[in-house]
Amino acid sequence: MPRSARIILPHTPHHIVQRGHKRQTVFVSDDDFNSYRKNLIDFKREFGCRIYAYCLMTNHVHLVVDPGNKPESLSLLMKRVAGRQTRYVNKLEERTGSLWEGRFKSSSISTEEYLPACCRYIELNPLRAGIVADPAAYRWSSYGAKVYGGKDMVVDLHPSYLSLGESESDRQKAYAEYVL
C-alpha cells in the first residue's frame, strides 16, 4: 500500500518533527549540531524556504518551515538536510544505514494565533526536558536569537514576531514574556 501524500500548503508555516532511528541520539557533539545548522542554512536558501523556529535536541529536531510558493520545497529541504546529515554521521562513525526514523512528520500551522504558540512549544523543549533552567541557555534553538538579538542565519523573523514591538528590544522583551 503506497504512503499517503503529505498536505503541504504554499506560503504556510509547517511544524516539522524528525526523530532519530529508534529514537537514538543523532547529535553527539557540537560539530554534529553545527553541521545540521549549516545544512539548514544551505538548503533553505537553495529551495527558498523560511525557518521561523527550530530546536535541535539530541535525538530529534523541531522546525517551523514555510516552503514559500513551491510546496515541494519543504520536502526537498528535509530530504537534503537529512541525507547530508546521515552521510556526515555515517562517515564519522564508520557506519552505514539510516540515521532517521522514517519520514519526517509535518502539520500545517494555519492561523496566526497558532504560529507563536508552536514556536513557544518548540523553543521550550530543552526546558521541559530538564536540560536547561532558561531556554536562552540552550544553544541549539532559535529562542536566543529572538530574545537577545544577534544573527542566527537559520532563523527568519515572521511578521507576527516583528509586530510585537516597534524596536528590536521591544520585540525581544515581549517575546520573552510571551514564551515564559
Side-chain angles (χ1 to χ4, degrees):
M1 176 192 247
R3 299 188 285 203
S4 58
R6 287 192 182 94
I7 298 174
I8 300 187
L9 305 171
H11 302 292
T12 302
H14 292 74
H15 180 190
I16 306 298
V17 180
Q18 188 160 37
R19 298 193 181 282
H21 184 68
K22 296 184 181 179
R23 299 191 182 215
Q24 294 173 339
T25 300
V26 294
F27 302 108
V28 176
S29 69
D30 287 357
D31 289 342
D32 298 345
F33 285 103
N34 283 322
S35 172
Y36 192 89
R37 288 182 76 254
K38 181 187 180 311
N39 294 334
L40 280 175
I41 293 164
D42 290 348
F43 290 119
K44 82 173 197 163
R45 287 178 179 156
E46 181 175 335
F47 297 117
C49 296
R50 299 181 67 77
I51 299 175
Y52 298 126
Y54 74 93
C55 187
L56 311 181
M57 301 295 283
T58 57
N59 69 347
H60 69 284
V61 300
H62 285 273
L63 306 167
V64 173
V65 180
D66 183 332
N69 62 355
K70 295 180 180 176
E72 63 274 11
S73 292
L74 191 149
S75 292
L76 291 169
L77 168 87
M78 293 307 297
K79 179 180 180 180
R80 297 284 170 78
V81 169
R84 190 180 277 178
Q85 192 72 16
T86 299
R87 287 188 299 280
Y88 164 82
V89 170
N90 285 351
K91 182 178 180 184
L92 191 70
E93 296 181 3
E94 298 178 350
R95 54 165 265 179
T96 60
S98 179
L99 182 63
W100 305 101
E101 181 180 277
R103 297 168 64 188
F104 65 89
K105 309 292 186 277
S106 170
S107 55
S108 64
I109 302 171
S110 59
T111 64
E112 290 297 316
E113 295 80 29
Y114 182 58
L115 179 61
C118 187
C119 292
R120 175 176 56 197
Y121 169 80
I122 288 170
E123 293 166 347
L124 287 175
N125 251 303
L127 186 72
R128 282 191 305 277
I131 298 169
V132 294
D134 175 4
Y138 192 72
R139 297 181 351 190
W140 311 113
S141 124
S142 50
Y143 182 76
K146 292 178 184 175
V147 297
Y148 292 127
K151 191 64 178 157
D152 183 338
M153 299 301 291
V154 175
V155 181
D156 298 293
L157 300 177
H158 188 269
S160 64
Y161 173 83
L162 296 172
S163 72
L164 293 174
E166 293 196 17
S167 71
E168 184 177 13
S169 63
D170 289 345
R171 289 188 291 273
Q172 292 166 353
K173 183 179 177 194
Y175 191 73
E177 289 173 0
Y178 171 73
V179 171
L180 298 175

